[in-house]
Amino acid sequence: MTKLRAAITGVQGYVPEYILTNKELETMVDTTDEWILTRTGISQRHILKGEGKGTSDMAAEAVKGLLKKTNTLPEEVEVIIVATVTPDMVFPATANIVSDKCGLKNAWGFDLGAACSGFLYALTTGARLIEAGSHKKVIVVGGDKMSSIIDYEDRQTCVIFGDGCGAVMLEPTSEEVGVMDSILRSDGAGREFLHQKAGGSVKPASHQTVDNREHFVYQEGKSVFKFAVTNMADVAAEIMERNNLHSDDVAWLVPHQANKRIIDATAQRMGLSPEKVMVNIERYGNTTAGTIPLCLWEWEKQLKKGDNVILAAFGGGFTWGAVWLKWAYNS
Ligand code: UT7
């Protein structure tokens, strides 16, 4: 029997209009454009403004564009997986809300929380549904409204994060393209370095948690940096080794956009020159689950059928991983 693979057949991104520049941040916290640019590689990030607007609004824009681009009717979609740590609400799932906003009447779906590795976890999960032969059209979304959980008085975190979202369509193929391999990892002991203290079942919201500013991202940057540099580079090298891929075989690295220095270390470990590395952190900052699909969206026209593409991420959890794709189409 021919092996079914899950191919990405389209990608669409969405970033909100408002641009928060390093210059504007200089007026909000004790920082400088120079510090942010040299320590992270970020110049600006997009922020979703407007009361009542959440992650689902960005996801719905991406999904509507994706449906149009792939000539898919909303009712044809069978599953939608939304990777996010900033769901619209604790429940129901943002996937349900996006389905409603986009008319995905026949889809079931769920949210997946794996922070910056969320898109890789969701892509791998969606691919398994296609490979099993039980589903033919699965949408995988990665996106976050990080501005909803960022303390704009904390210079250590507010300069890093931005809002944005990307979505891909997965469909079956019997060709040798699509999701070829994945390595996904996690280590819950890392939660002490990167988390949100309140708002979950351990510490529900109270006047005190609000007064203590505990509903925001807490990050011990230096520690996270150390783990990220090692683990992202290791897992990217591991997926190449176990599939006998050499640097010349790899057309593109699509790294999670957390810090330009982490990206450079990963590319170096894989033996890749900078032209093969997708980097847009300068314009979008760290959009958590959104970074990788936003890169694929921006580079879509340069991707060619058969290209070996390595996706790699590291983030809160800790979670990390790498996915090897053979790109499935020319656009
Ligand atoms: O995507 C999820 C996973 N997250 C990551 O991968 C993030 C990993 N970590 C990082 O990217 C980096 O650790 C940061 C960008 C968060 C920080 O860069 P760093 O080079 O590790 O800086 P640091 O935390 O060691 O701070 C160096 C100095 C400190 O001052 P002193 O103690 O040396 O006087 C900080 O207080 O820089 C200071 N600092 C700032 N200065 C100006 C920290 N934030 C800022 C700021 N502007 N925004």
Side-chain angles (χ1 to χ4, degrees):
M1 219 173 77
T2 327
K3 182 176 166 43
L4 279 184
R5 292 194 185 277
I8 293 180
T9 55
V11 54
Q12 183 69 27
Y14 176 81
V15 287
E17 224 168 274
Y18 188 83
I19 294 175
L20 174 60
T21 61
N22 288 354
K23 279 279 164 221
E24 186 176 352
L25 278 166
E26 283 181 355
T27 68
M28 296 160 64
V29 289
D30 181 15
T31 193
T32 60
D33 174 43
E34 204 253 333
W35 190 96
I36 303 170
L37 200 53
T38 52
R39 304 309 290 169
T40 69
I42 302 167
S43 289
Q44 60 172 55
R45 63 294 288 144
H46 290 245
I47 302 292
L48 182 62
K49 298 269 187 187
E51 206 158 314
K53 296 269 183 213
T55 297
S56 74
D57 293 289
M58 296 189 293
E61 288 298 324
V63 168
K64 282 178 195 165
L66 181 68
L67 293 174
K68 201 164 158 206
K69 210 173 193 179
T70 56
N71 284 317
T72 307
L73 296 171
E75 52 272 25
E76 290 181 278
V77 178
E78 295 164 309
V79 180
I80 175 166
I81 308 174
V82 178
T84 188
V85 289
T86 52
D88 282 22
M89 301 174 174
V90 173
F91 74 93
T94 303
N96 293 82
I97 302 169
V98 178
S99 289
D100 181 47
K101 288 182 176 172
C102 299
L104 313 183
K105 292 193 183 335
N106 296 317
W108 61 278
F110 57 94
D111 291 0
L112 189 154
C116 303
S117 312
F119 183 75
L120 299 192
Y121 276 43
L123 182 66
T124 302
T125 306
R128 296 289 178 266
L129 296 175
I130 298 277
E131 290 160 9
S134 56
H135 296 83
K136 291 194 168 50
K137 285 192 193 291
V138 175
I139 291 181
V140 176
V141 176
D144 277 289
K145 182 187 172 187
M146 291 306 292
S147 60
S148 66
I149 54 167
I150 290 301
D151 182 352
Y152 286 95
E153 293 183 10
D154 174 14
R155 70 175 183 171
Q156 310 219 30
T157 50
C158 75
V159 302
I160 300 169
F161 293 97
D163 301 339
C165 198
V168 300
M169 181 71 77
L170 287 179
E171 295 182 79
T173 177
S174 47
E175 291 185 64
E176 272 294 288
V177 293
V179 178
M180 307 297 284
D181 194 16
S182 303
I183 302 175
L184 302 175
R185 298 262 153 75
S186 76
D187 179 2
R191 69 189 181 282
E192 71 175 279
F193 304 112
L194 181 51
H195 58 259
Q196 183 180 318
K197 294 192 184 301
S201 58
V202 167
K203 206 186 247 198
S206 67
H207 288 291
Q208 197 184 5
T209 61
V210 172
D211 290 345
N212 292 344
R213 310 184 77 77
E214 290 178 325
H215 293 271
F216 296 122
V217 170
Y218 169 86
Q219 175 169 261
E220 293 178 27
K222 236 185 187 22
S223 304
V224 178
F225 186 91
K226 243 177 24 208
F227 284 103
V229 159
T230 310
N231 288 324
M232 202 161 113
D234 281 356
V235 79
E238 188 182 340
I239 207 162
M240 286 173 68
E241 275 155 29
R242 90 171 183 189
N243 291 290
N244 206 18
L245 291 168
H246 304 284
S247 51
D248 288 348
D249 303 320
V250 174
W252 296 101
L253 166 65
V254 191
H256 170 53
Q257 313 278 310
N259 189 313
K260 180 69 165 58
R261 291 181 286 149
I262 300 171
I263 294 171
D264 292 344
T266 304
Q268 197 177 15
R269 177 77 189 280
M270 295 168 72
L272 297 183
S273 52
E275 320 83 71
K276 290 184 168 185
V277 186
M278 297 187 192
V279 183
N280 58 15
I281 190 172
E282 189 185 344
R283 285 173 291 123
Y284 299 141
N286 181 350
T287 55
T288 303
T291 61
I292 290 176
L294 282 173
C295 280
L296 292 175
W297 171 55
E298 287 208 326
W299 268 263
E300 186 188 21
K301 290 208 163 42
Q302 294 178 59
L303 286 157
K304 297 277 167 285
K305 186 170 180 180
D307 275 356
N308 288 310
V309 182
I310 304 287
L311 320 178
F314 181 90
F318 290 140
T319 57
W320 67 103
V323 170
W324 167 33
L325 295 177
K326 258 194 186 298
W327 197 249
Y329 62 95
N330 297 315
S331 54

